[in-house]
Amino acid sequence: MDTIWLTGAEWVAVLRIGLGLWWLESWRHKDRKGWFERGTGIAWASDVAAKHRWNAVRSGFDTVVAPRPRTMAYVVVYAELALGLGLVVGFLTPIALVGGLLLNLLYLVLMIHDWAEQGQNAMMALISLVALFAMSWQTWSLDSAVGFF
């Protein structure tokens, strides 16, 4: 598919890179000292999960996250960094896209009551799906240069 300026594959790569920049911005604006030293991110999520309308979210949070808040803080913060870097440079792109999609879906379910958050997570999930099914790693990526996937 050709367009006025870029090919279809190049536009999908632009989407992938933009999504990666979005993840990097999510990582950049986090108060990492608060997340790691004071536990603010996980404490906030714990408060949201405790009031969640779905029992599965409450019990899942209590089972997986609550027993290891410090570890989970590192997982969340550095997952966003890894996703951003992987998508921007196109390294292990399908894995980054699926990982980002799953993280967005987790955020979407946790924040089911907050429509402002829903828009961001839904849009990021949609971009992940488009980039995944359009095989966005074929253009402007380390995956394509190295011959992965």
Side-chain angles (χ1 to χ4, degrees), residues 59-83:
S59 63
F61 190 92
D62 290 341
T63 302
V64 176
V65 180
R68 49 192 82 74
R70 187 172 174 90
T71 301
M72 295 310 290
Y74 278 95
V75 167
V76 168
V77 171
Y78 287 111
E80 291 181 357
L81 175 62
L83 291 169

Side-chain angles (χ1 to χ4, degrees), residues 16-17 19-21 23-24 27 78-93 96 142:
R16 181 200 81 227
I17 293 165
L19 180 61
L21 292 172
W23 278 115
L24 287 176
W27 173 80
Y78 287 111
E80 291 181 357
L81 175 62
L83 291 169
L85 292 174
L87 293 172
V88 167
V89 300
F91 182 66
L92 301 177
T93 310
L142 288 176

Side-chain angles (χ1 to χ4, degrees), residues 36-146:
F36 300 147
E37 293 176 17
R38 296 186 309 275
T40 56
I42 299 300
W44 168 81
S46 177
D47 185 54
V48 171
K51 298 173 188 169
H52 204 281
R53 66 178 83 163
W54 297 344
N55 188 41
V57 171
R58 289 190 304 273
S59 63
F61 190 92
D62 290 341
T63 302
V64 176
V65 180
R68 49 192 82 74
R70 187 172 174 90
T71 301
M72 295 310 290
Y74 278 95
V75 167
V76 168
V77 171
Y78 287 111
E80 291 181 357
L81 175 62
L83 291 169
L85 292 174
L87 293 172
V88 167
V89 300
F91 182 66
L92 301 177
T93 310
I95 295 166
L97 289 167
V98 170
L101 178 63
L102 291 174
L103 195 56
N104 279 125
L105 292 176
L106 282 171
Y107 292 167
L108 197 82
V109 168
L110 182 62
M111 298 301 298
I112 197 95
H113 65 281
D114 184 348
W115 287 105
E117 273 296 311
Q118 297 299 42
Q120 173 179 319
N121 288 306
M123 193 56 57
M124 290 175 82
L126 178 62
I127 294 169
S128 293
L129 282 173
V130 169
L132 183 65
F133 289 117
M135 301 188 324
S136 65
W137 54 89
Q138 295 179 339
T139 303
W140 300 340
S141 73
L142 288 176
D143 290 338
S144 131
V146 177

